[in-house]
Amino acid sequence: MRAAPTILHLDMDAFFAAAEQASKPSLRGKPVVVGGLGPRGVVSTASYEARRFGVGSAMPMAQARRLCPNAAYLVPRFSLYRDVSNQVMELLGRLSPVMEPLSLDEAFVDLEAGGSADDRVSAEAVGVQLRKDIRAVTGLTGSVGLAGSKMLAKIASERAKPDGLVLIEPGTERELLAPLTVRTLPGVGPATEDHLRRSGMTVIADLARAGEDELVRLLGKSHGASLYRMAVGHDDRPVVSERDTKSVSVEDTFDVDLHDRVRVRTEVDRLAGRCVERLRAAGRSGRTVVLKVRRYDFSTLTRSETLRGPTDDPAVVRE
């Protein structure tokens, strides 16, 4: 934990939809929904105008159309989003050489390492100017969080949405975290949340009261100890400029069920080829192959096999 809020987290607001609105003046101020347009498509991003009708990310597109029938429904244009993302990342790179992109629209920046901030006043000034620069260069808005750790900087940017800035003063972490749900903490997914709930822990204050020993007993040494430290406000994870790629994946959703074995095999072959292309482009190979199949009732089957050695052979991945 740092004594000054010099870790910055930027999260662009409704990025895909906002990029579409910026590139097409006729869409500005109107509800825009980006995602798959087929019968089984899902919403990738909804503009804030669409969100007022209840449309949200990961929602089935059919449901979104019922909630907001007059919205503009668009397929993603990733080349556009990458171009805009590059502009944003260039602005972040000017603040510090230590910048950790998480996705096209989200990144951490170590302001202290870049010499651009060393206390609350200078950090806040950087955040204010960054938001102005992003709007001037891209026409879009981003929300900024500033704190003494990555975990809290991300929580701050969530609180800043849309188009705001929130700074969490070091020393106030426990008070701020106490009433938040356990899902707020990194590493707490649905399964861990359910496990904690059955033990009577639903908010972060419950974790802090339970103590490290109890969390280790429930979740294991590594996960339990890590969760306790975060619950009491300690997060020493550094901002890292480069992160190792741990997996490469591809997937498709089909408009109609696939019943024919030959068609299924053809699709597996095609997906294996696309996956290997990405693997080779990254200069990598892999040992564990995972296949995920979603069935007609949306239940999901997952199988994996770890090979004796790494491969980038599409035939091996396919089989």
Side-chain angles (χ1 to χ4, degrees), residues 12-35 43-51 55-57 61 71-78 80-82 84 104-105 138-141:
M12 298 296 290
D13 299 322
F15 182 55
F16 292 178
E20 296 289 353
Q21 289 174 317
S23 70
K24 300 174 183 176
S26 62
L27 296 177
R28 292 174 190 172
K30 297 180 180 179
V32 174
V33 180
V34 178
V43 175
S44 176
T45 309
S47 70
Y48 284 94
E49 295 86 354
R51 293 181 191 190
V55 180
S57 299
M61 193 62 79
Y73 288 88
L74 307 173
V75 294
R77 293 194 292 164
F78 288 105
L80 168 66
Y81 311 147
R82 277 191 291 269
V84 178
L104 289 174
D105 63 339
T138 68
L140 307 183
T141 64

Side-chain angles (χ1 to χ4, degrees), residues 119-137:
D119 59 12
R120 173 186 178 135
V121 174
S122 57
E124 190 166 16
V126 167
V128 169
Q129 187 60 49
L130 173 64
R131 292 177 56 239
K132 290 180 180 177
D133 291 343
I134 288 172
R135 186 187 288 272
V137 171

Side-chain angles (χ1 to χ4, degrees), residues 281-299:
R284 301 299 179 93
S285 56
R287 287 187 64 219
T288 301
V289 182
V290 181
L291 178 66
K292 181 178 74 174
V293 178
R294 181 152 291 152
R295 304 197 300 177
Y296 69 94
D297 60 355
F298 287 88
S299 61

Side-chain angles (χ1 to χ4, degrees), residues 50-269:
R51 293 181 191 190
R52 285 196 281 270
F53 290 87
V55 180
S57 299
M59 173 182 289
M61 193 62 79
Q63 182 181 354
R65 288 183 185 276
R66 288 194 295 270
L67 291 171
C68 191
N70 296 321
Y73 288 88
L74 307 173
V75 294
R77 293 194 292 164
F78 288 105
S79 59
L80 168 66
Y81 311 147
R82 277 191 291 269
D83 289 344
V84 178
S85 175
N86 289 339
Q87 292 176 312
V88 173
M89 297 303 166
E90 183 180 351
L91 292 173
L92 295 178
R94 295 176 188 176
L95 301 178
S96 174
V98 184
M99 187 258 291
E100 181 180 344
L102 303 178
S103 62
L104 289 174
D105 63 339
E106 185 182 1
F108 287 108
V109 183
D110 187 337
L111 300 179
E112 188 177 302
S116 50
D118 57 9
D119 59 12
R120 173 186 178 135
V121 174
S122 57
E124 190 166 16
V126 167
V128 169
Q129 187 60 49
L130 173 64
R131 292 177 56 239
K132 290 180 180 177
D133 291 343
I134 288 172
R135 186 187 288 272
V137 171
T138 68
L140 307 183
T141 64
S143 296
V144 169
L146 292 159
S149 71
K150 290 170 74 172
M151 175 182 71
L152 289 163
K154 186 171 174 63
I155 290 172
S157 70
E158 282 295 321
R159 291 188 156 209
K161 283 190 166 294
D163 189 21
L165 182 151
V166 167
L167 183 148
I168 296 176
E169 192 73 61
T172 65
E173 296 89 355
R174 288 194 67 166
E175 182 181 356
L176 180 142
L177 289 170
L180 303 181
T181 67
V182 294
R183 281 293 294 272
T184 306
L185 298 178
V188 178
T192 301
E193 178 187 32
D194 186 56
H195 193 43
L196 292 170
R197 181 184 53 77
R198 291 199 304 269
S199 299
M201 304 179 204
T202 58
V203 297
I204 295 175
D206 296 332
L207 305 182
R209 281 194 294 268
E212 183 174 353
D213 291 345
E214 177 64 9
L215 293 179
V216 167
R217 185 186 71 80
L218 288 172
L219 304 173
K221 185 174 183 180
S222 177
H223 195 190
S226 172
L227 210 56
Y228 176 73
R229 285 181 58 78
M230 290 186 178
V232 296
H234 293 295
D235 176 23
D236 297 323
R237 294 174 300 158
V239 179
V240 291
S241 298
E242 295 182 4
R243 298 192 299 170
D244 284 341
T245 300
K246 298 189 183 299
S247 66
V248 175
S249 65
V250 294
E251 65 176 47
D252 273 337
T253 300
F254 303 97
D255 289 342
V256 296
D257 291 342
L258 305 185
H259 298 284
D260 182 78
R261 290 178 64 90
V262 174
R263 173 74 190 283
V264 170
R265 188 175 182 85
T266 299
E267 295 298 339
V268 169
D269 193 11

